[in-house]
């Protein structure tokens, strides 16, 4: 019985809050984009997969943040909606005309939002 209790204790200590989980997913998406940007010649075939992952992350964030039942103030909901629109536009633009430098804005936004979620 103590084995089960110990296992539960270890898991409960490493469980993330929803905000920490969101930040971790944003960092993961940014990391994937950074790897591609840093080794563009070899990694660019993985670009669309990484952009699709980032788009899924932002679809979830935008949907949760702007939902009518979201407790966020309307000004924050509007800001997230506008930021999401920019992210989606940049993703599409990068898919249409791939360039390593286009990833910088997406990487930076993901890092900045993750940092905000962690505070």
């Amino acid at each position: 019985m103590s084995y089960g209790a110990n296992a539960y204790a270890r898991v409960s200590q490493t469980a993330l809050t929803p905000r920490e989980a969101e930040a971790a997913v944003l960092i993961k998406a940014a990391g994937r984009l950074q790897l591609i940007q840093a080794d563009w010649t070899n990694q660019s075939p993985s670009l669309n997969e990484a952009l699709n992952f980032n788009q899924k992350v932002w679809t979830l964030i935008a949907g949760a943040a702007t939902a009518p039942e979201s407790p966020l103030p309307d000004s924050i909901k509007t800001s997230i909606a506008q930021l999401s629109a920019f992210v989606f536009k940049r993703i599409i633009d990068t898919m249409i005309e791939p360039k390593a430098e286009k990833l910088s804005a997406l990487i930076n936004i993901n890092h900045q939002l993750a940092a905000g979620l962690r505070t």
Side-chain angles (χ1 to χ4, degrees), residues 56-110:
K56 288 176 185 177
V57 170
W58 274 92
T59 298
L60 292 172
I61 289 170
T66 60
E69 64 274 6
S70 171
L72 295 172
D74 287 342
S75 62
I76 300 292
K77 288 181 181 183
T78 300
S79 294
I80 291 175
Q82 291 170 340
L83 188 57
S84 298
F86 172 82
V87 168
F88 296 144
K89 184 176 184 289
R90 178 55 64 105
I91 288 170
I92 291 168
D93 180 52
T94 306
M95 286 179 167
I96 293 169
E97 190 178 339
K99 292 184 182 172
E101 59 271 10
K102 290 182 179 180
L103 299 178
S104 295
L106 296 172
I107 293 164
N108 187 42
I109 290 168
N110 283 8

